[in-house]
Amino acid sequence: MTSRRAPAGAAVLREDVTDAIRAAVFEELAAVGFARMSIEGIARRAGVGKTAVYRRWKSKLALVLDLVSAVASQGVPAPATGSLYGDVRALIEVASHALRHPVASQVIPDLLVEAARNPEIADAIRTALLDGRRGLAAGVVRDAVERGELPAGADVDRALDLMIGPLYWRLVVVRTELPDGYLDDLATSAVAALKA
């Protein structure tokens, strides 16, 4: 009588392989863009077989949507400097670093182009980018209202537009360097506009 081994069940997904694939996706997106990105290219960059990718994600779209959501869920700590100007300046500083990151500066514009063509990508980006940042802006506005720096009912969406919109325009759309003192000036202007 031979003893049978119990079935092992589903393959265990090694976290180091998953991390390598995630890193490879960002590199591949930055190098070739979403349209030209392939599972084969991702696997090659990660040093794994295509099956390792497909075990985790069914398509490149599913993979990118998952990664955009994962990056957004990492979150940014809410600024708590004790003043509206300080909070706005801190939020602008964090956004500036994120938008100037070499990979982000390549990936974000490409994904926005794809979002214009694909509602699933558009929804994921909206959720990942807008919802998280809106939550931070809501905290800044709420704290400023509690301190009496802004009137009750201050518009969170307007605050987010004023804080991040000009920075996004400069770094992502126009793609120019920020002059010395730009972040300080932007914070001062945003605070003045919020109080108007």
Side-chain angles (χ1 to χ4, degrees):
M1 182 169 172
T2 44
S3 65
R4 300 181 99 186
R5 203 177 85 167
V12 175
L13 299 179
R14 291 180 26 205
E15 194 59 35
D16 61 326
V17 172
T18 303
D19 291 343
I21 293 168
R22 286 183 172 134
V25 170
F26 287 114
E27 292 169 13
E28 191 76 357
L29 273 171
V32 302
F34 180 82
R36 292 180 45 214
M37 184 178 80
S38 68
I39 297 297
E40 292 81 5
I42 293 166
R44 190 170 34 257
R45 280 184 191 271
V48 300
K50 289 189 315 186
T51 56
V53 179
Y54 282 119
R55 274 190 207 114
R56 290 159 175 82
W57 299 277
K58 66 181 179 178
S59 67
K60 75 176 187 176
L61 176 59
L63 174 54
V64 169
L65 295 178
D66 179 55
L67 291 185
V68 167
S69 298
V71 167
S73 70
Q74 290 175 358
V76 174
T81 66
S83 74
L84 176 58
Y85 173 83
D87 289 354
V88 168
R89 178 63 175 79
L91 194 60
I92 289 171
E93 180 78 32
V94 169
S96 168
H97 284 295
L99 292 171
R100 285 190 278 185
H101 186 279
V103 174
S105 69
Q106 295 299 316
V107 170
I108 291 171
D110 184 61
L111 287 179
L112 291 174
V113 168
E114 292 302 323
R117 298 181 192 126
N118 186 318
E120 286 181 278
I121 293 177
D123 288 344
I125 289 174
R126 188 175 305 109
T127 299
L129 298 180
L130 179 60
D131 292 353
R133 301 314 165 257
R134 190 176 192 286
L136 290 173
V140 168
V141 169
R142 180 194 63 242
D143 291 348
V145 168
E146 288 174 3
R147 289 189 300 261
E149 294 176 282
L150 289 177
D155 187 340
V156 171
D157 290 325
R158 180 171 177 255
L160 185 59
D161 290 347
L162 291 168
M163 289 186 277
I164 305 301
L167 187 64
Y168 181 85
W169 173 260
R170 179 75 77 130
L171 293 175
V172 177
V173 178
V174 180
R175 299 178 79 83
T176 59
E177 287 296 317
L178 300 180
D180 289 342
Y182 179 82
L183 298 182
D184 295 328
D185 292 344
L186 179 57
T188 299
S189 298
V191 168
L194 286 169
K195 290 182 174 183

